[in-house]
């Protein structure tokens, strides 16, 4: 290392001198540094430049003859010693400035005053030594030589920096990270090289190190300034963000308060606007909007209905038996809302959303009859969210509409009232909600209820499916005495919301159907079943049975339930008594739920568990023939009856080139929704069967114009159009019930499959691009509550 420095030190000195001069120039034109600090740094850079500059000259002229060389060697070496003290002296002023002006100390440390005095004394001693040769002298050949007092010349350059470093350590916690590093390097590096310099004669490592740390001090000062600017910018930004957040909170609170005031006119609708806003924000998020755009949608939806504050009180929430004058007033509500919100000029989208939220996608809405994309997107989102919340909420005329009915309404109005793309988002949301419902419903299952009057309280329905369901609970009487009946009972039923209903409107809205009610003493009442058979266990004779009955808990109840197709088996046990019923439901398309209720009893500790083992046909004896709607002509493929969503399917037809399928479709008598119709599935599997081995589903197309499925294995480009031949959804359901001829066409080219169908005015085109390269791809027909017969391959 020393050999390298000795060889290249003159070049290093020249480079460092140039760098220091450049730094000096940069400092002179710098404007953002305090004047005194800037002066200190300029002086330090000049001193460092002079130090290495004169050191280089001393090497260039040593040992040379002539007057110039004679004087240059002496001047250079004097300046080297002087600039070494100058480095300490200028650094001392830098520390004083930093402590007094930046750290705001009350007074300058006395140690720094001592360093100043020591530097002055050192300069005086240097001048004396220059004439008496105490520190250094020159031989006859004009070479520099160390004098007897050479080591004494190092006392001040070594001791004073140590004193300065003690000051730095005293204030280190108040200094920034970069300044701490710079000051530490400025002190320690020259000290280390100064100790080495005592032994290393002939190289100027201490002077080079002094120039290097001077440059480093400049660099670290700039880094510190940059860090401060960043921190100040961050603080300023945080302040602005906090101010913006504060303004946002103020606007949010004001908007919420305004909406709350408007909703006071109709207690039933309180909180409705916030629900609309949350749902609209969900739709906006699903559309890929950024956070700011989602916030705009939220507040547009929150405030879109404020015009009702100007309506007469008796008209708020009224949507039935409206007079022409009242209809005209309600039609003005979007205009009133828009006029109120137009005063918020910073957010013009608020007025736009309110003004156009009553428009329909097909142009049949109010107030301007805008159509399609001419309606602002924010208004289209608000319209969908408003409709969803309206249907899913209770009002003074009805209870909340079931999710399945809401789904159907949106499908019916896709391309009519609502933007089809937004309808797809709502339908996907409802489908996801339906998939997650079983677990959520299980969490909602009551653990305890007190039944006074007969069926006064009833639990949520527990599904009876093709698995064994076990229900345990305890029951105790809450009324005793002669003539008082007290017992729990079990209701078997079907309903969209898994609840038992008694009033007519709820029964119609939730499609409630009660099959039967059972008591643990063996009694039952059947209402809507094909058949019901009871198998009551006879009490076993003998001491063993008596002991078993004696040890049983009279307050402990057990229910075992299972289902296979349209047959349900319920086994009930209590206090050694067992009763078993086999129930033949009207058909396989209906769901079945068990709810607990009772009379004059407390039902507690309700627990439900499901055994995953599948129920087999032989597990439930059949007591009625299955209801079949496929006793018709059978063509190329066997007929198939799909009682529930995708519960069955036709054989898979290989897709090689072009496939045309024609078939007869008949929805079952219990079908009542627009998607109760045939579906087409494109898939691959090792055994040709839908949901078979190694199953991969690429597309699911419903002939009512829906597409479902993920893009895990394929992408689909789907379009649906309704022509003039489409007679409306009620006509569609009627035709489906009466039976219709359907035809579908598919063409495969490599991993691309084109699909086309046109039935009852609904035209569907879909292009499926499979991501993998399966050997065989199949198409099958399935559906929901539909019979598929007379299936022909054309």
């Amino acid at each position: 290392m020393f050999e390298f420095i000795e060889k290249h030190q003159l070049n290093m000195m020249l480079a460092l001198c140039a760098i220091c001069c450049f730094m000096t120039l940069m400092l002179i034109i710098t404007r953002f540094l305090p004047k005194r600090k800037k002066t200190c740094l300029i002086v330090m850079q000049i001193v460092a430049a002079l130090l290495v500059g004169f050191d280089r000259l001393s090497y260039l002229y040593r040992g040379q003859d002539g007057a110039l060389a004679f004087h240059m060697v002496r001047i250079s070496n004097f300046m080297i010693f002087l600039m070494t003290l100058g480095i300490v002296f200028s650094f001392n002023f830098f520390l004083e400035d930093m402590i007094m002006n930046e750290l705001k100390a009350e007074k300058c440390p006395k140690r720094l005053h001592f360093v100043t005095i020591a530097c002055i004394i050192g300069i005086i001693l240097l001048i004396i030594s220059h004439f008496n040769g105490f520190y250094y002298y020159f031989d006859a050949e004009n070479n520099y030589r160390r004098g007897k007092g050479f080591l004494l010349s190092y006392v001040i350059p070594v001791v004073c920096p140590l004193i300065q470093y003690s000051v730095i350590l005293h204030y280190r916690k108040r200094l920034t990270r970069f300044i701490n590093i710079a000051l530490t390097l400025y002190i320690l590096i020259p000290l280390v090289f100064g100790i080495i310099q005592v032994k290393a004669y002939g190289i100027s490592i201490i002077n080079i190190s002094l120039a290097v740390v001077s440059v480093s001090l400049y660099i670290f000062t700039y880094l510190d300034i940059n860090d401060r600017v960043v921190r100040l910018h961050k603080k300023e930004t945080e302040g602005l963000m906090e101010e913006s957040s504060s303004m946002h909170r103020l606007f949010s609170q004001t908007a919420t308060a305004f909406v709350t005031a408007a909703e006071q006119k109709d207690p039933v609708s309180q909180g409705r606007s916030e629900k609309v806003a949350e749902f609209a924000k969900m739709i906006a998020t699903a559309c890929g909007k950024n956070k700011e755009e989602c916030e705009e949608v939220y507040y547009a939806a929150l405030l879109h209905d404020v015009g009702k504050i100007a309506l007469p009180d008796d008209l708020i929430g009224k949507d039935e038996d409206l007079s022409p004058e009242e209809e005209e007033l309600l039609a003005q509500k979007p205009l009133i809302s828009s006029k109120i919100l137009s005063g918020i000029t910073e957010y013009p989208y608020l007025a736009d959303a309110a003004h156009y939220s009553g428009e329909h996608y097909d142009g049949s809405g109010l107030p301007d009859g805008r159509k399609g994309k001419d309606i602002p997107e924010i208004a289209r989102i608000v319209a969908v969210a408003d409709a969803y919340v309206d249907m899913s909420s209770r009002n003074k005329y009805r209870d909340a509409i079931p999710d399945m009915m809401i789904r159907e309404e949106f499908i019916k109005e896709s391309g009519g009232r609502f933007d089809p793309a937004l309808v797809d988002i709502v339908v996907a949301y409802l489908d996801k909600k339906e998939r997650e419902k079983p677990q959520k419903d299980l969490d909602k299952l009551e653990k305890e209820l007190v039944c006074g009057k007969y069926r006064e309280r009833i639990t949520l329905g527990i599904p009876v499916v093709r698995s064994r369901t076990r229900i345990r609970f305890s029951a105790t009487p809450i009324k005793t005495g002669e003539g008082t009946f007290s017992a729990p009972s079990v209701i078997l039923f079907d309903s969209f919301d898994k609840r038992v209903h008694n009033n007519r409107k709820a029964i119609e809205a939730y499609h409630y159907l009660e099959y039967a009610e059972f008591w643990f003493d063996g009694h039952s009442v059947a209402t809507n079943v094909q058949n019901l058979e009871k198998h009551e266990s006879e009490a076993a004779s003998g001491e063993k049975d008596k002991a078993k009955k004696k040890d049983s808990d009279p307050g402990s109840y057990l229910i075992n339930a299972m289902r296979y197709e349209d047959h349900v088996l319920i086994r009930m046990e209590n206090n050694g008594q067992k009763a078993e019923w086999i129930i033949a439901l009207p058909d396989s398309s209906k769901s079945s739920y068990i709810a607990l209720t009772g009379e004059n009893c407390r039902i507690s500790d309700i627990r439900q568990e499901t055994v995953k083992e599948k129920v087999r046909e032989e597990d439930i004896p059949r007591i009625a023939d299955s209801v079949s709607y496929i006793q018709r002509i059978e063509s190329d493929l066997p007929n198939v009856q799909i009682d529930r969503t995708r519960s069955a399917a036709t054989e898979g037809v290989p897709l090689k080139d072009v496939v045309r399928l024609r078939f007869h479709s008949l929805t079952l008598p219990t079908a009542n929704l627009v998607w109760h119709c045939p579906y087409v599935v494109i898939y691959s599997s090792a055994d040709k069967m839908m949901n078979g081995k190694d199953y991969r589903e690429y597309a699911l197309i419903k002939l009512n114009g829906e597409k479902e499925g993920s893009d895990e294995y394929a992408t689909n480009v789907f379009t649906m159009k309704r022509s003039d031949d489409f007679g409306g959804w009620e006509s569609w359901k009627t035709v489906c019930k009466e039976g219709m001829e359907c035809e579908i066409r598919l063409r495969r080219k490599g991993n691309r499959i084109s699909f086309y169908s046109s039935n009852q005015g609904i035209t569907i085109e879909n292009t499926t691009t499979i991501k993998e390269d399966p050997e065989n791809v199949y198409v099958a027909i399935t559906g929901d509550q539909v019979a598929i017969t007379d299936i022909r391959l054309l």
Side-chain angles (χ1 to χ4, degrees):
M1 177 181 173
F2 291 120
E3 292 178 359
F4 177 83
I5 294 174
E6 185 175 8
K7 183 177 180 181
H8 299 284
Q9 65 178 341
L10 293 182
N11 293 330
M12 293 169 66
M13 291 176 186
L14 181 62
L16 286 170
C17 182
I19 292 171
C20 289
C21 291
F22 177 74
M23 298 294 186
T24 302
L25 179 62
M26 293 297 296
L27 284 166
I28 290 171
I29 62 177
T30 297
R31 296 183 179 181
F32 54 82
L33 285 172
K35 185 176 180 181
R36 184 175 174 84
K37 186 174 186 177
K38 178 178 174 179
T39 303
C40 291
L41 287 171
I42 289 172
V43 170
M44 292 172 72
Q45 294 302 318
I46 292 173
V47 170
L50 291 173
L51 175 64
V52 292
F54 279 111
D55 200 1
R56 186 172 187 275
L57 290 174
S58 69
Y59 278 96
L60 290 174
Y61 286 102
R62 69 180 180 178
Q64 294 186 20
D65 297 330
L68 179 61
F70 179 86
H71 292 292
M72 286 304 298
V73 167
R74 284 155 180 77
I75 293 172
S76 296
N77 281 280
F78 176 79
M79 291 300 293
I80 290 169
F81 279 87
L82 180 63
M83 290 303 104
T84 302
L85 292 170
I87 288 284
V88 177
F89 194 67
S90 60
F91 183 64
N92 206 58
F93 278 109
F94 178 83
L95 288 177
E96 287 182 4
D97 173 70
M98 183 181 67
I99 291 168
M100 298 300 295
N101 295 321
E102 293 185 23
L103 303 183
K104 305 297 182 183
E106 294 182 359
K107 57 182 180 179
C108 185
K110 292 181 179 179
R111 284 167 287 179
L112 295 183
H113 293 317
F114 172 79
V115 171
T116 301
I117 295 169
C119 287
I120 294 171
I121 292 171
I123 292 171
I124 295 171
L125 291 175
L126 174 62
I127 294 171
I128 295 171
S129 173
H130 186 70
F131 293 103
N132 62 20
F134 186 65
Y135 286 170
Y136 59 89
Y137 64 94
F138 303 95
D139 59 17
E141 296 178 354
N142 201 27
N143 287 312
Y144 162 87
R145 300 295 180 188
R146 291 177 177 178
K148 294 180 180 180
F150 173 75
L151 291 178
L152 187 62
S153 68
Y154 269 73
V155 172
I156 293 175
V158 171
V159 173
C160 287
L162 291 174
I163 295 172
Q164 290 170 331
Y165 191 58
S166 70
V167 175
I168 293 168
L169 291 175
H170 179 75
Y171 289 99
R172 71 184 184 280
K173 291 183 179 180
R174 298 175 61 185
L175 298 173
T176 64
R177 176 170 56 97
F178 287 118
I179 294 300
N180 258 315
I181 294 171
L183 298 181
T184 301
L185 292 176
Y186 200 92
I187 296 294
L188 296 183
I189 289 179
L191 284 176
V192 171
F193 282 103
I195 294 169
I196 297 172
Q197 182 76 73
V198 174
K199 298 293 184 180
Y201 188 76
I203 58 173
S204 297
I205 54 174
I206 186 171
N207 295 337
I208 292 173
S209 69
L210 284 170
V212 169
V213 294
S214 296
V215 172
S216 73
L217 182 61
Y218 170 86
I219 293 170
F220 277 105
T221 300
Y222 265 82
L223 289 174
D224 179 62
I225 291 169
N226 183 67
D227 188 55
R228 288 187 183 186
V229 170
V230 170
R231 281 188 280 112
L232 287 173
H233 178 69
K234 183 180 178 182
K235 188 175 181 181
E236 184 180 1
T237 303
E238 288 174 352
L240 290 172
M241 289 179 66
E242 177 58 32
E243 184 179 351
S244 175
S245 178
S246 177
M247 292 296 293
H248 184 273
R249 286 195 300 271
L250 178 62
F251 173 75
S252 178
Q253 291 166 2
T254 303
T256 303
F258 186 33
V259 169
T260 302
E263 289 179 342
Q264 292 299 314
K265 301 184 77 173
D266 180 21
V268 177
S269 70
Q270 288 182 14
R272 182 181 182 280
S273 295
E274 188 171 355
K275 291 179 183 177
V276 175
E278 291 290 350
F279 198 76
K281 186 176 181 180
M282 184 278 294
I283 294 173
T285 302
C287 288
K289 304 294 182 187
N290 60 38
K291 185 178 179 181
E292 183 179 349
E293 290 170 329
C294 289
E295 287 294 308
E296 290 179 358
V297 170
Y298 176 88
Y299 287 108
L302 182 70
L303 294 165
H304 84 283
D305 207 25
V306 295
K308 65 184 177 184
I309 201 169
L311 296 178
D313 291 351
D314 59 351
L315 194 55
I316 300 295
K318 186 176 181 182
D319 57 8
E320 293 184 6
D321 302 323
L322 295 170
S323 67
E325 293 78 13
E326 289 174 329
E327 289 181 354
E328 180 63 27
L329 280 172
L330 283 177
Q332 294 297 313
K333 186 169 63 170
L335 298 176
I336 298 170
S337 299
S338 177
K339 186 175 181 181
I340 292 171
L341 297 173
S342 63
I344 308 176
T345 55
E346 289 295 317
Y347 307 120
Y349 59 85
L350 296 176
D352 287 345
H355 186 92
Y356 297 109
S357 60
E359 299 286 1
H360 294 173
Y361 196 77
D362 61 2
S364 63
L366 296 171
D368 301 334
R370 287 203 180 190
K371 184 177 181 181
K373 304 298 182 182
D374 289 339
I375 305 169
E377 185 182 28
I378 195 168
R380 283 181 270 137
I381 292 173
V382 170
V384 169
D386 184 70
Y388 172 79
V389 173
D390 180 63
M391 288 186 278
S392 62
S393 303
R394 181 181 67 86
N395 63 29
K396 61 178 69 174
Y397 300 103
R398 57 160 176 78
D399 289 330
I401 297 174
D403 284 347
M404 288 297 99
M405 304 302 292
I406 295 174
R407 186 185 191 278
E408 181 181 52
E409 187 64 24
F410 273 107
I411 289 172
K412 286 180 177 180
E413 294 296 343
S414 178
R417 283 178 60 192
F418 308 124
D419 183 341
L422 302 180
V423 168
D424 289 345
I425 292 171
V426 176
V427 168
Y429 165 79
L430 289 169
D431 289 344
K432 181 182 178 184
K433 186 179 177 183
E434 186 67 20
R435 289 193 298 271
E436 295 173 350
K437 200 173 182 180
Q439 182 57 47
K440 289 185 178 179
D441 285 345
L442 185 61
D443 296 338
K444 292 179 183 177
L445 179 65
E446 296 86 344
K447 303 302 179 185
E448 180 176 337
L449 71 159
V450 178
C451 304
K453 296 180 181 179
Y454 173 59
R455 292 172 71 153
E456 184 180 25
R457 297 280 307 281
I458 306 173
T459 66
L460 181 72
I462 299 169
V464 180
V465 293
R466 199 180 164 185
S467 298
R468 301 173 190 269
T469 300
R470 185 176 292 118
I471 305 166
R472 299 178 186 273
F473 64 92
S474 300
T476 55
I478 58 173
K479 281 187 179 180
T480 57
E482 188 176 348
T484 302
F485 179 77
S486 174
S489 62
V490 174
I491 302 170
L492 182 67
F493 68 98
D494 181 25
S495 176
F496 279 169
D497 66 345
K498 302 182 183 179
R499 291 285 183 185
V500 174
H501 296 284
N502 296 313
N503 68 76
R504 181 180 59 81
K505 284 189 175 181
I507 289 171
E508 292 177 357
Y510 293 98
H511 291 244
Y512 176 73
L513 181 66
E514 186 169 317
Y515 302 125
E517 186 172 1
F518 309 94
W519 285 264
F520 284 83
D521 62 1
H523 289 84
S524 64
V525 175
T527 50
N528 291 285
V529 297
Q530 286 192 74
N531 194 8
L532 183 146
E533 287 187 4
K534 176 190 170 189
H535 301 272
E536 188 171 355
S537 301
E538 295 182 2
S541 59
E543 294 300 322
K544 183 178 179 181
D545 180 69
K546 290 181 181 179
K548 182 178 178 181
K549 190 168 183 179
K550 182 179 179 181
D551 293 339
S552 64
D553 182 2
S556 178
Y557 294 81
L558 172 64
I559 303 169
N560 283 285
M562 64 183 82
R563 175 173 176 170
Y564 185 83
E565 294 183 350
D566 58 349
H567 276 51
V568 172
L569 184 147
I570 296 178
R571 185 179 295 116
M572 299 166 58
E573 301 179 27
N574 168 247
N575 198 24
Q577 290 185 335
K578 295 181 181 179
E580 181 178 289
W581 290 271
I582 298 174
I583 306 99
L585 303 180
D587 57 48
S588 300
S589 65
K590 291 292 185 182
S591 298
S592 50
Y593 303 96
I594 281 179
L596 303 181
T597 184
E599 184 176 357
N600 296 321
C601 65
R602 180 190 302 276
I603 299 174
S604 59
D605 193 23
I606 302 171
R607 291 162 291 160
Q608 181 259 336
E609 59 179 309
T610 301
V611 180
K612 292 184 178 180
E613 179 186 355
K614 288 290 184 182
V615 177
R616 299 166 299 175
E617 184 176 4
E618 57 267 27
D619 292 334
I620 306 177
R622 180 164 286 279
I623 60 173
D625 293 334
S626 59
V627 179
S628 176
Y629 297 94
I630 56 175
Q631 302 300 321
R632 299 181 80 250
I633 186 172
E634 194 166 88
S635 297
D636 297 324
L637 295 177
N639 297 341
V640 62
Q641 180 171 313
I642 304 109
D643 293 311
R644 303 174 63 77
T645 305
R646 299 179 64 175
S647 60
T650 64
E651 295 177 2
V653 177
L655 274 173
K656 298 295 185 183
D657 184 15
V658 177
V659 172
R660 289 177 62 195
L661 284 169
R662 187 175 293 166
F663 55 89
H664 184 270
S665 164
L666 176 72
T667 55
L668 306 187
T670 53
N672 48 50
L673 300 170
V674 295
W675 59 84
H676 288 161
C677 65
Y679 304 167
V680 178
V681 184
I682 301 171
Y683 66 95
S684 67
S685 69
D687 56 5
K688 298 185 181 182
M689 302 303 294
M690 187 182 78
N691 298 320
K693 184 180 178 182
D694 300 328
Y695 183 71
R696 297 284 189 275
E697 186 166 298
Y698 305 127
L700 172 64
I701 301 163
K702 301 180 180 181
L703 294 194
N704 68 308
E706 292 185 69
K707 178 190 74 70
E708 285 189 9
S710 69
D711 292 335
E712 183 177 0
Y713 302 114
T715 58
N716 290 275
V717 179
F718 179 87
T719 59
M720 184 275 286
K721 294 179 181 179
R722 293 195 287 267
S723 68
D724 294 337
D725 294 334
F726 181 69
W729 288 109
E730 291 307 314
S731 173
W732 163 264
K733 290 197 283 189
T734 300
V735 172
C736 286
K737 284 281 183 77
E738 293 173 350
M740 64 178 178
E741 291 294 319
C742 302
E743 182 176 334
I744 60 173
R745 297 201 299 265
L746 300 100
R747 179 187 295 272
R748 180 183 178 187
K749 287 185 178 181
N751 65 341
R752 294 188 64 187
I753 300 168
S754 301
F755 171 90
Y756 175 86
S757 74
S758 183
N759 299 286
Q760 300 301 317
I762 298 177
T763 300
I764 301 171
E765 293 185 43
N766 184 72
T767 301
T768 302
T769 304
I770 302 173
K771 296 179 180 179
E772 52 195 8
D773 189 20
E775 182 178 351
N776 294 305
V777 179
Y778 303 95
V779 59
I781 303 171
T782 181
D784 191 355
Q785 298 195 36
V786 63
I788 308 296
T789 57
D790 191 19
I791 308 167
R792 288 151 284 164
L793 288 168
L794 304 178

